[in-house]
């Protein structure tokens, strides 16, 4: 390398001297016999040093000019080299063995745009996921891609994937979180885009006032939906990874489903459901169901009411634990009317999915959180989108509705998600689910379920920060191997010989994947691995919003600032009268003016 640099340097100096002498001789009218054949330039240079040619006075000026130009270009080259190094990371070399821009042509440029148009969205490339490291082209998921993102804490899940996805969504967006960062960053842009912003914040994660409410019982139109809602309460209220009791869990869930159905039929507030779980001998729910078309459900509830004392206590306490989020006083105004004078709009999922609104569902994590309600609201909205898709031409939404389940394992433990995943893609409901680790997903869906979700996702993303060898081994296997040429030297009777061999090695091993570089502002150092159907794994450079185009960054910063400036009103101004019927409040248009 050093020799090459030296030779290059000598050549440049020689060429400069040659140029200076040639032009200088002509200008000064000296060295008449000098060879003009360019191939003899070296002997001309030597003649200058031997004194066979005179050094023209103008040559000094010309030589200095050439020197300045050369120095300028050298500085430019060196600067670009250092700039390149600043953005380079220790895993970048692997990109040369991974997917090329050609292989991913359907995720970028014209092809991506055409696909978006085919799926009903004009002027869009899709949902941004980052830039291909080899080539720098921006890549986009299509509006029928289901994606799964795994990355550890603070490595850019929200800033590089969730926020860009939400601000680029063409229609309605449903998103979950346990923090207010995504809401703050995207609210202004989503509002400016024309849709209403709905923030469901029963635990005051973003200190949002309850300016609207949602009646979970409006979802319960029959016994199947009652069972589904009970399932959401069950999975949303359990600790991640906790083993469910195989006897009391199903019985408690069935009882809760019965109570939910009874309350919905009798037009009661959802708080009655919690109250019933505290009164094991109470026959009200059984009587309501007996008088309805759901006689079998009535028998199930009555059976639980008449169980032997101790067993009944356990079944009821299981149901009570599942519904415990309903007893929280700050939760009540979000799922109940505050009385006949309540003028707040009621959220209607069926109208929302026809709008370009944004639903942010926030909850803290852990047992006793509002997780079951966040899950129930998210699932009810996605199901409403599915119902609308069934009525739409081709069985898909005219304008796709995006679901971004950030912190899915903490606040949106949707047990059926692995089964539903591939199905929603074809309905125009692309969903991006975000997990902090593989084991977090296993805690929600079980090992089989998490594998099913992984397989059903046609875009799988890993953005670093996870140290789980089993998961990283799977990613490493999917990235694949390459043949590395190894050379070994040996001495035999004083004769040195070298042998070359090809050795198969992992493109990226577990250690390299565990330490995948994370983003730093202005440094372009974030890396992610993308595994997509039909292409080799690709190395992406993550593109956090704060490194995006200036006008967009300004808009997001303005949105964040607006949130900080806003002085939130208290969550509730008047006490909730839990005995009031819930369906008296007028349901307003999802495209309504407030936000
Ligand atoms: N406006 C900003 N400017 C510079 N850096 C930022 C900005 N916002 C966030 N970051 C940094 O970007 C990194 C990634 O943050 P991000 O919130 O996207 O991570 P995450 O993976 O979503 O984390 P978590 O698991 O906590 O939700 C963090 O180090 C954070 O400090
Ligand atoms: Mg986050």
């Amino acid at each position: 390398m050093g020799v090459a640099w030296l030779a290059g340097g000598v050549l440049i100096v020689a060429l400069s001297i040659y140029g200076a002498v040639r032009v200088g001789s002509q200008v000064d009218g000296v060295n008449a016999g000098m060879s003009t054949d360019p191939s003899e330039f070296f002997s001309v240079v030597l003649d200058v040093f031997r004194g066979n040619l005179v050094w023209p006075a103008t040559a000094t000026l010309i030589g200095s000019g050439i020197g300045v130009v050369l120095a300028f270009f050298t500085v430019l080259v060196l600067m670009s080299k250092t700039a390149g190094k600043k953005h380079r990371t220790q895993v970048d070399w692997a990109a040369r063995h991974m997917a090329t821009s050609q292989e991913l042509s359907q995720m970028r440029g014209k092809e991506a745009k055409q696909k978006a148009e085919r799926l009903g969205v004009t002027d869009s490339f899709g949902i941004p996921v980052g830039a291909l490291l080899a080539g720098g082209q921006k890549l986009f998921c299509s509006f029928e891609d289901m994606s799964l993102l795994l990355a550890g804490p603070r490595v850019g899940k929200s800033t590089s994937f969730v926020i860009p996805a939400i601000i680029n969504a063409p229609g309605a967006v449903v998103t979950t979180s346990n923090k207010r960062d995504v809401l703050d960053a995207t609210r202004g842009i989503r509002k400016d885009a024309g849709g209403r912003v709905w923030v469901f914040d029963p635990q005051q994660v973003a200190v949002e006032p309850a300016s609207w409410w949602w009646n979970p019982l409006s979802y319960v139109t029959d016994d199947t939906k009652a069972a589904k809602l009970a399932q959401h309460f069950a999975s949303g209220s359990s600790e991640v990874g906790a083993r469910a009791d195989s006897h009391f869990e199903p019985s408690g869930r069935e009882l809760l489903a019965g109570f939910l159905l009874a309350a919905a039929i009798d037009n009661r507030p959802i708080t009655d459901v919690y109250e019933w779980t505290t009164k094991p001998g109470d026959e009200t729910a059984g009587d309501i169901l007996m008088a309805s078309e759901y006689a079998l459900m009535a028998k199930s509830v009555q059976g639980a009411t008449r169980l032997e004392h101790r067993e009944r206590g356990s079944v009821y306490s299981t149901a009570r634990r599942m519904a415990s989020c309903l007893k929280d006083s700050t939760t009540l105004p979000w799922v109940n009317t505050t009385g006949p004078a309540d003028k707040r709009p009621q959220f209607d999922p069926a109208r929302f999915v026809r709008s370009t609104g944004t639903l942010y569902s926030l909850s803290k994590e852990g047992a006793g959180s509002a997780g079951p309600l966040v899950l129930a609201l998210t699932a009810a909205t996605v199901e409403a989108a599915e119902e609308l898709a069934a009525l739409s031409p081709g069985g898909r939404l005219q304008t796709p509705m995006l679901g971004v389940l950030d912190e899915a394992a903490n606040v949106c433990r949707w047990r059926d998600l692995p089964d539903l995943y591939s199905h929603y893609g074809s309905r125009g409901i692309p969903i991006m689910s975000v997990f902090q680790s593989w084991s977090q997903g296993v805690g929600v869906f079980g090992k089989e379920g998490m594998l099913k979700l992984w397989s059903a996702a046609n875009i799988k993303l890993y953005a670093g920060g996870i140290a789980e060898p089993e998961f990283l081994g799977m990613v490493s296997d999917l990235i694949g191997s390459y043949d590395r040429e190894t050379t070994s030297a040996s001495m035999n009777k004083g004769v040195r010989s070298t042998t070359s061999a090809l050795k198969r090695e992992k493109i990226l091993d577990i250690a390299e994947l565990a330490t995948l570089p994370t983003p730093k502002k202005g440094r372009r150092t974030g890396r992610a691995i993308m595994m997509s159907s039909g292409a080799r794994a690709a190395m992406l450079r993550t593109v956090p919003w704060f490194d995006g185009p200036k006008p967009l960054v300004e808009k997001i910063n303005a949105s964040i600032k607006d949130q900080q400036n806003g002085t939130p009103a208290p969550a509730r101004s008047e006490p909730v009268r839990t005995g009031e019927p819930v369906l008296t409040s007028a349901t307003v248009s999802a495209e309504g003016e407030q936000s």
Side-chain angles (χ1 to χ4, degrees):
M1 192 70 186
V3 178
W5 275 102
L6 189 68
V10 169
L11 188 69
I12 288 171
V13 172
L15 281 170
S16 312
I17 294 173
Y18 176 70
V21 172
R22 274 286 306 270
V23 181
S25 302
Q26 263 180 8
V27 175
D28 293 1
V30 293
N31 298 326
M34 184 177 69
S35 164
T36 50
D37 183 353
S39 65
E40 288 177 15
F41 91 94
F42 211 68
S43 64
V44 171
V45 175
L46 285 179
D47 279 350
V48 173
F49 287 103
R50 284 185 196 126
N52 298 343
L53 293 173
V54 293
W55 180 255
T58 336
T60 310
L61 209 64
I62 296 168
S64 331
I66 294 175
V68 168
V69 172
L70 281 178
F72 176 73
F73 280 110
T74 313
V75 169
L76 264 189
V77 169
L78 287 176
M79 268 174 61
S80 73
K81 276 188 99 68
T82 355
K85 262 190 194 150
K86 194 174 106 183
H87 301 312
R88 225 178 282 154
T89 76
Q90 74 274 14
V91 292
D92 291 2
W93 66 271
R96 81 178 87 123
H97 300 293
M98 298 170 75
T100 60
S101 162
Q102 199 65 35
E103 282 168 73
L104 299 168
S105 60
Q106 78 286 0
M107 291 186 76
R108 62 178 172 85
K110 210 168 81 186
E111 280 188 50
K113 204 164 182 191
Q114 279 167 351
K115 188 157 189 191
E117 266 164 29
R118 186 167 61 74
L119 297 172
V121 188
T122 46
D123 287 333
S124 170
F125 291 93
I127 306 158
V129 285
L132 186 68
L133 189 67
Q137 298 91 345
K138 295 262 167 69
L139 297 181
F140 300 84
C141 288
S142 82
F143 293 113
E144 59 180 3
D145 284 335
M146 303 299 284
S147 50
L148 179 57
L149 164 64
L150 285 118
R154 317 303 297 149
V155 303
K157 297 184 296 299
S158 301
T159 48
S160 301
F161 296 93
V162 172
I163 293 171
I166 293 176
I167 57 182
N168 283 287
V173 175
V174 180
T175 181
T176 62
S177 185
N178 61 358
K179 297 188 206 69
R180 59 178 298 163
D181 55 352
V182 173
L183 166 69
D184 289 352
T186 57
R187 185 181 201 157
I189 292 177
R190 291 295 300 172
K191 203 166 123 189
D192 291 349
R196 181 178 167 160
V197 169
W198 303 80
V199 186
F200 186 68
D201 188 18
Q203 286 192 299
Q204 298 295 279
V205 172
V207 209
E208 185 76 14
S211 57
W212 57 278
W213 67 289
W214 172 61
N215 180 10
L217 294 177
S218 62
Y219 170 79
V220 183
T221 47
D222 57 25
D223 48 352
T224 316
K225 295 256 177 151
K228 271 194 190 172
L229 187 57
Q231 170 68 63
H232 296 331
F233 274 98
S235 48
S237 60
S238 61
E239 289 280 7
V240 175
R243 273 254 190 111
D245 183 297
S246 59
H247 175 63
F248 292 118
E249 160 87 21
S251 311
R253 207 170 58 218
E254 198 175 316
L255 180 65
L256 185 60
F259 286 170
L260 289 166
L261 186 59
I265 290 171
D266 209 35
N267 222 13
R268 284 165 178 261
I270 195 162
T271 35
D272 278 16
V273 172
Y274 182 75
E275 219 173 302
W276 286 336
T277 64
T278 63
K279 295 179 180 165
D282 193 292
E283 299 268 357
T284 320
D287 291 346
I288 295 170
L289 290 170
M290 202 41 115
S292 75
E293 61 190 289
Y294 302 103
L296 285 178
M297 196 71 134
K299 293 236 159 61
S300 154
V301 170
Q302 284 172 343
T305 323
R306 291 161 196 172
L307 277 172
E308 179 269 317
H309 184 70
R310 212 166 335 139
E311 188 169 4
R312 187 179 68 181
S314 299
V315 173
Y316 270 71
S317 71
T318 308
R320 190 160 59 244
R321 180 183 51 75
M322 292 171 180
S324 66
C325 61
L326 296 173
K327 72 173 191 302
D328 207 336
S329 65
T330 50
T331 303
L332 291 186
W334 294 93
V335 287
N336 255 316
T337 174
T338 52
D342 189 357
K343 295 282 181 294
R344 295 175 308 151
Q346 191 178 335
F347 181 79
D348 176 3
R351 298 179 89 155
F352 173 79
V353 298
R354 287 166 170 83
S355 77
T356 53
T358 314
L359 171 63
Y360 298 89
S361 282
L362 310 176
S363 163
K364 291 179 184 163
E365 54 211 68
S369 73
L373 292 170
V374 164
L375 168 57
L377 178 55
T378 308
T381 310
V382 173
E383 277 176 33
E386 195 187 354
E387 280 158 21
L388 175 61
L391 300 172
S392 309
R396 66 165 56 246
L397 294 184
Q398 302 283 78
T399 305
M401 181 183 90
L402 176 70
V404 187
L405 312 181
D406 198 1
E407 306 287 349
N410 290 320
V411 297
C412 190
R413 289 181 224 138
W414 194 348
R415 289 268 162 87
D416 300 335
L417 199 62
D419 296 316
L420 297 169
Y421 227 48
S422 51
H423 170 74
Y424 283 140
S426 59
R427 295 285 177 271
I429 312 169
I431 295 181
M432 177 187 279
S433 307
V434 185
F435 293 86
Q436 279 195 3
S437 65
W438 179 264
S439 54
Q440 232 193 15
V442 172
V444 181
F445 311 112
K447 210 169 173 179
E448 298 278 303
M450 189 60 189
L451 269 175
K452 195 170 186 180
L453 185 68
W454 176 258
S455 312
N458 46 337
I459 304 285
K460 308 172 195 13
L461 293 153
Y462 168 61
I466 295 183
E468 297 176 341
E470 204 181 329
F471 164 66
L472 296 179
M474 181 169 74
V475 175
S476 175
D477 285 347
L478 287 172
I479 296 171
S481 314
Y482 75 110
D483 290 325
R484 187 162 77 95
E485 195 174 339
T486 54
T487 314
S488 56
S490 58
M491 293 292 276
N492 192 8
K493 293 180 187 157
V495 180
R496 186 175 184 272
S497 62
T498 55
T499 339
S500 293
L502 289 179
K503 194 172 168 220
R504 188 142 276 214
E505 283 192 2
K506 290 272 177 233
I507 296 172
L508 285 169
D509 64 20
I510 292 177
E512 285 164 320
L513 287 171
T515 54
L516 214 56
T518 52
K520 290 185 189 76
K521 193 174 181 181
R523 295 284 304 275
R524 302 190 191 170
T525 49
R527 298 288 177 265
I529 307 295
M530 180 183 74
M531 289 143 280
S532 57
S533 318
R536 287 186 294 169
M539 171 93 70
L540 305 188
R541 172 170 65 76
T542 57
V543 184
W545 66 262
F546 46 76
D547 282 340
K550 208 171 160 207
L552 183 68
V553 173
E554 277 168 6
K555 267 192 200 168
I556 295 180
N557 278 329
S559 175
I560 294 172
K561 204 159 163 233
D562 267 5
Q563 300 302 303
Q564 284 160 356
N565 290 344
T567 32
R572 173 151 57 90
S573 51
E574 54 181 303
V576 178
R577 281 187 284 159
T578 53
E580 294 294 337
V582 287
L583 294 173
T584 49
S585 177
T587 303
V588 300
S589 157
E591 297 87 349
E593 63 307 325
Q594 313 180 27
S595 63

